[in-house]
């Protein structure tokens, strides 16, 4: 892998079929050797597993060959196509051009065919895209690429070739090996992390909750055979018919927040084929490093943490690194606990206070995704930060291309891999220098003092209990609040009345209107731009730039 550290910054692109996030993470300057890349020990080949390599807990890679040429490709359960960067002399060019466009970034090139070897399965004439242009994606150097592990309905290659010759690799494997169960399993690793202690900042802290990253095709990892006994969650057919993902439903009000209470949830989807309106539609997408949740869920996770605030420019929550948070997701009445190190990620050191600053792994979902039906009908994207906490099994069922009616419906199973006691100790060792001070950390703020993500917030979720942790009524129902609002309202009415009276008197004294009377006396005030104000003397007017940053780019969005 090429180095992603550039001038003290790590620029990562987190790709999923429903979009991509370009995210800038500041490198910890005091670290002598930042953790870039970890190869897990090769799993026992007898269980048919493929080892995954872990890049900063953000992207996971595996190895495959095309006509004998080795490639290191990221795994993406949110898309279905295989593409690579690099030459394969024995490949056949179909002369059909394909363009894969993500929320940000793209990969384009001609569809080629070659012999693929993946997890010891050999597939002749496998279709893939030989990328000659890769924009804003990590996999942009020879020897790298991406393999889509999602349903074939989302395959651009299959649509262009319009025949089984365009089937994705997993569909080809299942169809070619009829005795192999149509299952894929994924277990993501968690990187050892640098200590936050200045004197230990160059040392890696071993984790108790460490597991080798691997995927299997057709069988499960022996140590996690219990997954086959877990509830079978329905793999939902996308209601829009425009896209297809590995999607299922959370339980009703199926998220437990840091305060230990369930959060009331309401799906934004109106065309519900399965489940109820209080069950969120969830997509499992390993290509998303940072899970995407409704803004109000992210607010419930981080908004009550003392010292936390929402960074409007970069659209993420900023949280003190030493504050331990816990949350859980419930599927089929099974609770999947989130490791506290997967709730927040180290970002930088505050130059003023010298304190470590973390960002929330769970980010408010972008409005461009949530409101665009072309992305599909879902509420949540659970990416790598969630998947590190559960072993995932996907049974493709009749989602395999050209399956007949006798094939069973697809389903999903999850098995929690987190030991809460060990996870807590990991947090103490990494973030608190091995000294457990969590019992004395400041309590969560009451709801009345909670921060929100501002205009990104929505009314999708609220706490089931209207009372705060003290058991009192919400502040807006209390007598003092009603009195204060009433007095403030009376004062505002008086001020408005006085302004109207003053302006009326001024109008009577003069027929000439003074525009200056309506310009606020603020040094920062600038007039609103009209269509004709965007340029002056042929030059672009800088005031036309809004400064708003799209959460899916590092640059200000064009107006």
């Amino acid at each position: 892998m090429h180095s992603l550290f550039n001038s003290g910054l790590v620029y990562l692109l987190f790709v999923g079929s429903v979009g991509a996030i370009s995210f800038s993470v500041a490198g910890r300057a005091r670290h002598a050797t930042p953790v870039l890349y970890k190869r897990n020990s090769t799993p026992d080949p007898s269980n048919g597993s493929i080892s995954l390599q872990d890049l900063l807990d953000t992207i996971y890679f595996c190895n495959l060959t095309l006509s004998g040429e080795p490639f290191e490709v990221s795994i993406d359960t949110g898309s279905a196509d295989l593409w690579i960067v690099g030459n394969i002399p024995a490949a056949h060019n179909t002369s059909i051009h394909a363009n894969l466009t993500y929320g940000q970034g793209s990969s384009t090139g001609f569809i080629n065919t070659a012999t693929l070897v993946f997890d010891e399965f050999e597939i002749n004439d496998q279709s893939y895209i030989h990328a000659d242009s890769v924009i804003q994606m990590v996999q942009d150097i020879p020897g790298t690429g991406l393999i889509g592990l999602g349903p074939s309905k989302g395959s651009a290659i299959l649509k262009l070739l319009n025949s089984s010759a365009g089937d994705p690799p997993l569909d080809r494997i299942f169809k070619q090996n009829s005795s192999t169960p149509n299952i894929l399993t994924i277990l993501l690793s968690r990187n050892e992390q640098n200590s936050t202690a200045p004197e230990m900042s160059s040392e890696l802290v071993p984790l108790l909750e460490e597991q080798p990253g691997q995927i299997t095709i057709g069988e499960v990892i022996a140590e996690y055979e219990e997954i086959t006994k877990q509830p079978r969650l329905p793999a939902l057919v996308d209601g829009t018919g425009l896209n297809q993902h590995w999607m299922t439903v959370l339980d009703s009000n199926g998220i437990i927040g840091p305060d230990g209470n369930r959060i009331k949830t309401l799906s934004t989807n109106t065309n519900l084929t399965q489940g109820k309106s209080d069950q969120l539609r969830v997509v499992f997408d390993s290509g998303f490093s940072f899970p995407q949740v409704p803004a109000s869920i992210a607010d419930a996770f981080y908004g009550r943490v003392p010292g936390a605030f929402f960074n409007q420019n970069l659209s993420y929550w900023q949280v003190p690194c030493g504050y331990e948070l816990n949350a859980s997701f419930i599927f089929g009445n099974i609770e999947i606990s989130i490791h506290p190190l997967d709730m927040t990620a180290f970002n930088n050191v505050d130059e003023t206070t010298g304190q470590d600053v973390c960002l929330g792994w769970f980010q408010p979902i972008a409005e461009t995704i949530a409101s665009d039906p072309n992305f599909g009908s879902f509420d949540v994207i659970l990416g790598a930060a969630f998947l590190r906490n559960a072993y995932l099994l996907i049974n493709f069922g009749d989602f395999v291309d050209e399956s007949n009616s006798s094939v069973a419906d697809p389903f999903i199973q999850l098995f929690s891999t987190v030991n809460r006691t060990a996870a807590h100790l990991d947090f103490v060792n990494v973030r608190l220098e091995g000294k457990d001070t969590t019992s004395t950390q400041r309590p969560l703020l009451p709801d009345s003092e909670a921060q929100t993500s501002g205009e990104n917030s929505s009314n999708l979720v609220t706490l089931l209990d209207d009372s705060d942790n003290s058991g009192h009524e919400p502040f807006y129902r209390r007598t003092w609040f009603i009195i204060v609002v009433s007095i403030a309202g009376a004062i505002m009415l008086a001020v408005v009345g006085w302004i109207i009276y003053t302006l009326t008197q001024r109008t009577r004294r003069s027929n000439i209107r003074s525009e200056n009377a309506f310009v606020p006396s603020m040094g920062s005030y600038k007039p609103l731009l009209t269509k004709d104000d965007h340029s002056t003397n042929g030059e672009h007017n800088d005031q036309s730039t809004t400064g708003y940053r799209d959460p899916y780019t590092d640059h200000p969005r064009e107006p």
Side-chain angles (χ1 to χ4, degrees):
M1 288 294 296
H2 66 302
S3 176
L4 298 179
F5 280 86
N6 181 17
S7 302
L9 295 179
V10 184
Y11 292 97
L12 301 177
L13 190 68
F14 311 131
V15 182
S17 66
V18 295
I21 300 175
S22 179
F23 203 85
S24 172
V25 182
R28 188 190 293 255
R30 64 179 185 235
H31 283 173
T33 309
V35 184
L36 262 180
Y37 186 66
K38 178 183 73 175
R39 284 185 177 274
N40 294 297
S41 57
T42 304
D44 182 357
S46 63
N47 70 2
S49 65
I50 307 171
S51 178
L52 292 178
Q53 292 87 51
D54 178 351
L55 175 63
L56 286 171
D57 283 350
T58 55
I59 305 178
Y60 294 82
F61 292 83
C62 67
N63 297 315
L64 55 77
T65 65
L66 284 164
S67 292
E69 298 292 328
F71 289 89
E72 199 163 63
V73 296
S74 62
I75 62 167
D76 182 17
T77 58
S79 63
D81 289 309
L82 169 65
W83 57 267
I84 57 94
V85 178
N87 292 322
I88 302 175
H92 169 68
N93 190 337
T94 67
S95 299
I96 298 175
H97 197 266
N99 180 13
L100 300 179
T101 302
Y102 300 88
Q104 176 181 309
S106 63
S107 173
T108 62
F110 287 102
I111 298 175
N112 286 10
T113 62
T115 299
L116 168 68
V117 176
F118 184 52
D119 189 21
E120 300 182 353
F121 291 100
E122 183 173 312
I123 311 161
N124 295 324
D125 300 319
Q126 174 61 52
S127 298
Y128 67 95
I129 295 174
H130 177 227
D132 51 35
S133 174
V134 178
I135 299 174
Q136 294 181 316
M137 300 184 75
V138 170
Q139 307 90 332
D140 59 356
I141 61 173
T144 63
L146 179 149
I147 185 168
L149 304 175
S152 58
K153 187 176 180 180
S155 168
I157 294 176
L158 179 58
K159 288 182 175 68
L160 287 168
L161 296 185
N162 196 28
S163 73
S164 59
D167 283 342
L170 289 185
D171 282 33
R172 292 287 306 277
I173 289 174
F174 294 142
K175 292 167 72 172
Q176 182 176 299
N177 301 272
S178 57
S179 62
T180 299
N182 294 0
I183 64 171
L184 165 74
T185 78
I186 300 177
L187 182 69
L188 298 187
S189 60
R190 184 179 294 104
N191 248 325
E192 296 175 333
Q193 300 189 20
N194 293 92
S195 170
T196 56
E199 67 275 10
M200 299 171 57
S201 61
S202 62
E203 299 180 18
L204 291 177
V205 178
L207 298 179
L208 298 173
E209 282 291 280
E210 187 177 17
Q211 58 205 20
Q214 51 191 307
I215 62 176
T216 68
I217 300 173
E219 53 192 327
V220 301
I221 301 172
E223 302 94 301
Y224 298 97
E225 289 182 346
E226 284 292 312
I227 193 171
T228 60
K229 300 177 183 178
Q230 302 307 300
R232 293 187 175 188
L233 308 173
L236 302 183
V237 175
D238 192 278
T240 64
L242 299 175
N243 213 329
Q244 185 60 56
H245 307 285
W246 294 121
M247 178 171 63
T248 191
V249 290
L250 269 171
D251 285 9
S252 296
N253 306 316
I255 301 176
I256 298 176
D259 62 358
N261 295 323
R262 284 198 180 218
I263 299 172
K264 185 176 181 180
T265 57
L266 179 65
S267 175
T268 58
N269 296 287
T270 56
N271 182 22
L272 302 179
T273 57
Q274 285 184 270
K276 300 182 295 184
S277 61
D278 61 358
Q279 293 182 272
L280 297 182
R281 271 59 186 164
V282 172
V283 167
F284 299 104
D285 191 337
S286 62
F288 267 90
S289 304
F290 290 80
Q292 305 290 290
V293 297
S296 45
I297 291 181
D299 291 354
F301 283 175
Y302 307 114
R304 294 172 58 193
V305 176
F309 69 92
F310 187 74
N311 188 317
Q312 293 286 355
N313 289 332
L314 297 177
S315 295
Y316 65 74
W317 274 97
Q318 187 165 310
V319 184
C321 286
Y323 201 97
E324 183 178 11
L325 289 171
N326 294 280
S328 300
F329 291 77
I330 304 173
F331 294 91
N333 209 32
I334 300 297
E335 186 173 339
I336 306 295
S337 299
I338 305 300
H339 194 298
L341 292 177
D342 290 326
M343 290 295 292
T344 58
F346 174 80
N347 187 27
N348 56 35
V349 178
D350 189 307
E351 295 180 356
T352 303
T353 65
Q355 299 297 311
D356 290 327
V357 178
C358 282
L359 57 87
W361 273 110
F362 291 80
Q363 297 183 335
I365 193 168
E367 182 63 24
T368 52
I369 289 180
S371 63
D372 190 341
N374 289 314
F375 288 125
S377 54
F378 55 82
D379 303 293
V380 175
I381 304 170
L382 291 181
F386 170 85
L387 293 173
R388 280 192 291 276
N389 299 275
Y391 182 37
L392 172 69
L393 182 152
I394 299 171
N395 187 304
F396 279 58
D398 60 6
F399 273 14
V400 175
D401 186 36
E402 297 182 336
S403 293
N404 58 49
S405 58
S406 64
V407 178
D409 293 335
F411 61 84
I412 297 167
Q413 291 174 293
L414 294 167
F415 181 71
S416 177
T417 60
V418 171
N419 178 295
R420 293 184 179 183
T421 301
H424 168 71
L425 291 176
D426 283 342
F427 183 86
V428 169
N429 291 333
V430 172
R431 299 281 179 82
L432 301 175
E433 304 178 23
K435 302 173 184 177
D436 191 350
T437 59
T438 56
S439 61
T440 59
Q441 72 179 13
R442 293 177 59 190
L444 293 170
L445 299 173
D447 294 333
S448 59
E449 298 178 25
Q451 303 290 314
T452 69
S453 51
E455 62 184 9
N456 289 309
S457 293
S458 65
N459 294 321
L460 287 179
V461 299
T462 57
L463 292 179
L464 280 175
D465 185 359
D466 260 350
S467 60
D468 61 26
N469 288 339
S470 65
H472 297 144
E473 281 188 315
F475 72 96
Y476 51 82
R477 293 182 182 174
R478 297 177 189 174
T479 303
W480 66 264
F481 180 80
I482 296 172
I483 294 174
V484 169
V485 170
S486 300
I487 295 174
I491 293 173
M492 289 180 65
L493 287 173
V495 171
V496 171
W498 179 82
I499 292 174
I500 292 173
Y501 173 79
T502 302
L503 295 178
T504 302
Q505 293 299 104
R506 180 179 300 170
T507 302
R508 290 175 179 174
R509 287 194 294 267
S510 174
N511 291 326
I512 300 175
R513 181 180 177 186
S514 173
E515 294 292 341
N516 291 334
F518 295 90
V519 179
S521 57
M522 303 179 189
S524 61
Y525 174 81
K526 289 180 173 60
L528 295 175
L529 294 173
T530 65
K531 181 177 181 181
D532 297 329
D533 292 330
H534 281 223
S535 61
T536 304
N537 297 327
E539 296 181 357
H540 180 72
N541 189 332
D542 288 339
Q543 292 176 357
S544 64
T545 300
T546 65
Y548 170 76
R549 288 182 180 272
D550 189 318
Y552 289 84
T553 179
D554 287 321
H555 308 290
R557 176 181 287 176
E558 292 299 325

